[in-house]
Amino acid sequence: MRRSRFSDEQIVAIVREAESGTRVSELARRHGVSKNTIGRWRTKYHGLELQDAWRLKALEDENRRLKKLVAEQALDLSLLKDLVGRKW
């Protein structure tokens, strides 16, 4: 997955600016992102403090790691069932 150009601190600051009433088009131009990106950030980080954003990022990373682990185990299980099911 591609890393963002912006840190969590910067994203939370931009979202706070948007919530304070600054026009989204102005924010997008100033920070060099699209209006849609700011909209996505608002839906994800709306009302979060910086500590909450860090926690959210850590939980997403852990969830990604666990999903990968489950996929690998399912693949191993499928392979073992294939081997057991064969007639030699």
Side-chain angles (χ1 to χ4, degrees):
M1 193 166 123
R2 187 170 164 247
R3 286 189 54 89
S4 175
R5 292 185 325 188
F6 298 95
S7 67
D8 291 336
E9 295 90 0
Q10 291 170 325
I11 293 172
V12 169
I14 293 170
V15 169
R16 282 192 185 151
E17 282 184 62
E19 289 174 350
S20 70
T22 307
R23 293 180 49 187
V24 174
S25 58
E26 170 65 25
L27 283 174
R29 185 186 57 77
R30 190 172 16 157
H31 294 288
V33 296
S34 71
K35 291 187 263 183
N36 291 337
T37 300
I38 293 179
R40 268 196 333 263
W41 287 346
R42 286 175 79 174
T43 58
K44 186 173 182 179
Y45 294 102
H46 175 73
L48 291 181
E49 295 296 322
L50 187 55
Q51 299 294 332
D52 297 333
W54 287 339
R55 177 94 173 120
L56 177 65
K57 184 75 77 174
L59 288 173
E60 287 174 345
D61 290 341
E62 182 182 4
N63 193 25
R64 187 176 309 112
R65 185 182 59 82
L66 291 173
K67 282 184 177 183
K68 182 179 175 185
L69 183 65
V70 167
E72 289 172 355
Q73 286 181 346
L75 186 63
D76 289 345
L77 183 62
S78 172
L79 185 67
L80 288 173
K81 283 183 178 180
D82 245 6
L83 286 174
V84 170
R86 286 188 182 170
K87 294 187 178 183
W88 298 91

